[in-house]
């Protein structure tokens, strides 16, 4: 059971609270950021392989780099979309964080 389904299940008929929605969106933002970070890391590795490749290896490495670059771009676009959807939850998340710290 994921955190978002746990939150929904604990509500027992009531809809999720504003704070629970904010936490679910923050989780999606974390996931999107991690996906972008992994794609960026793989892209950097593919670029190094292309730079170091020779002959047929370089041709294959170039194709791998272009594919990795496409994945990174896609992950960056998704991160941007999730960021925009989550931005409205920032005040609620800050309030929750302050309540937790005090």
């Amino acid at each position: 059971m994921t955190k978002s389904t746990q939150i929904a299940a604990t509500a027992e008929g009531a809809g999720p609270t504003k704070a629970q929605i904010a936490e679910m969106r923050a989780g999606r933002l974390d996931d999107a950021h991690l996906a972008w970070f992994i794609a960026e890391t793989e892209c950097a590795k593919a670029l190094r392989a292309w730079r170091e490749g020779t002959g047929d290896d370089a041709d294959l490495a170039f194709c791998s780099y272009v594919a990795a670059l496409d994945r990174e771009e896609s992950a960056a676009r998704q991160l941007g979309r999730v960021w925009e959807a989550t931005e409205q939850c920032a005040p609620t998340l800050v309030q929750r964080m302050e309540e937790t710290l005090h």
Side-chain angles (χ1 to χ4, degrees), residues 3-11 14-30 82-94 96:
K3 184 173 182 174
S4 59
T5 56
Q6 287 173 343
I7 290 171
T10 60
T17 67
K18 189 175 181 180
Q20 289 171 329
I21 291 170
E23 288 177 18
M24 285 186 278
R25 288 188 175 175
R28 290 188 62 211
L29 183 60
D30 286 344
V82 174
W83 174 264
E84 288 174 4
T86 306
E87 196 171 18
Q88 66 191 15
C89 297
T92 303
L93 291 171
V94 169
R96 291 281 299 225

Side-chain angles (χ1 to χ4, degrees), residues 16-83:
T17 67
K18 189 175 181 180
Q20 289 171 329
I21 291 170
E23 288 177 18
M24 285 186 278
R25 288 188 175 175
R28 290 188 62 211
L29 183 60
D30 286 344
D31 292 345
H33 183 262
L34 180 60
W36 168 79
F37 180 78
I38 291 168
E40 188 276 333
T41 301
E42 290 173 351
C43 189
K45 288 179 184 178
L47 177 59
R48 275 193 302 280
W50 175 40
R51 285 180 162 170
E52 295 169 2
T54 58
D56 290 340
D57 288 342
D59 293 341
L60 180 59
F62 174 75
C63 292
S64 295
Y65 169 65
V66 170
L69 192 59
D70 287 344
R71 288 190 300 275
E72 181 187 3
E73 181 182 11
S74 177
R77 275 189 260 116
Q78 178 63 14
L79 177 58
R81 286 191 292 270
V82 174
W83 174 264

